[in-house]
Amino acid sequence: MTPFKRAFTQATARYGRFSHAAHLHVAWHLLREQPALAALAEFRSGLLDLARRMGLQDKYSETQTVAWILAVLDHLDRTGTSSEDWDAFEARCSALFDPAYLHAFYPPDLLNSPAARTHFRPPERLDT
């Protein structure tokens, strides 16, 4: 079983479906088990494969995939420890569980654009 499939199975068992929180759970597991670039590659290929098998290719977003795993990595790095369990991470990083979290870095029209679905777009500075 691949690391993605193992993490996916754990996440869906916990959340009952592959929700936003389950996506974050998978990213968290992969980042704790592998270097960041390997975790990103695993996350990306796992999500693409899952989307293709379910006929949901139009739901996959390259930009969101990369941005979410980097957001989880950033929050993991803030602890300085790998001993934190998922429940502690979830409680400490509650902002990540709001799907609108990325709107602080991306205008919604860019984040949901066809270009962002097929190619990674770096975050933009937004005036707040």
Side-chain angles (χ1 to χ4, degrees), residues 40 43-44 47 59-71 102 105-124:
L40 172 59
F43 192 54
R44 182 182 178 279
L47 289 175
K59 294 268 187 188
Y60 177 82
S61 169
E62 185 73 9
T63 299
Q64 289 191 43
T65 297
V66 174
W68 280 115
I69 204 161
L70 291 177
L102 292 182
F105 309 98
Y106 293 92
D109 59 327
L110 171 68
L111 197 57
N112 297 311
S113 70
R117 290 189 179 285
T118 57
H119 301 289
F120 174 70
R121 299 290 307 263
E124 292 184 359

Side-chain angles (χ1 to χ4, degrees), residues 31 34-43 69-70 73:
L31 286 164
Q34 305 174 60
L37 292 179
L40 172 59
E42 181 78 19
F43 192 54
I69 204 161
L70 291 177
L73 177 64

Side-chain angles (χ1 to χ4, degrees), residues 15 33 37 48 66 82 89 95 98 124 127:
Y15 292 100
E33 295 176 0
L37 292 179
L48 277 168
V66 174
S82 62
F89 179 83
D98 178 354
E124 292 184 359
D127 295 325

Side-chain angles (χ1 to χ4, degrees), residues 23-128:
H23 279 76
L24 295 176
H25 194 258
V26 170
W28 177 84
H29 270 286
L30 295 175
L31 286 164
R32 289 173 43 99
E33 295 176 0
Q34 305 174 60
L37 292 179
L40 172 59
E42 181 78 19
F43 192 54
R44 182 182 178 279
S45 68
L47 289 175
L48 277 168
D49 181 58
L50 182 63
R52 284 185 192 120
R53 286 189 288 116
M54 295 180 72
L56 299 171
Q57 301 89 316
D58 59 327
K59 294 268 187 188
Y60 177 82
S61 169
E62 185 73 9
T63 299
Q64 289 191 43
T65 297
V66 174
W68 280 115
I69 204 161
L70 291 177
V72 172
L73 177 64
D74 179 54
H75 283 72
L76 275 172
D77 283 350
R78 292 179 192 186
T79 63
T81 178
S82 62
S83 63
E84 182 178 55
D85 69 10
W86 173 250
D87 291 327
F89 179 83
E90 187 174 25
R92 182 175 59 79
C93 303
S94 60
L96 288 177
F97 292 81
D98 178 354
Y101 176 85
L102 292 182
H103 294 169
F105 309 98
Y106 293 92
D109 59 327
L110 171 68
L111 197 57
N112 297 311
S113 70
R117 290 189 179 285
T118 57
H119 301 289
F120 174 70
R121 299 290 307 263
E124 292 184 359
R125 181 186 165 133
L126 301 177
D127 295 325
T128 54

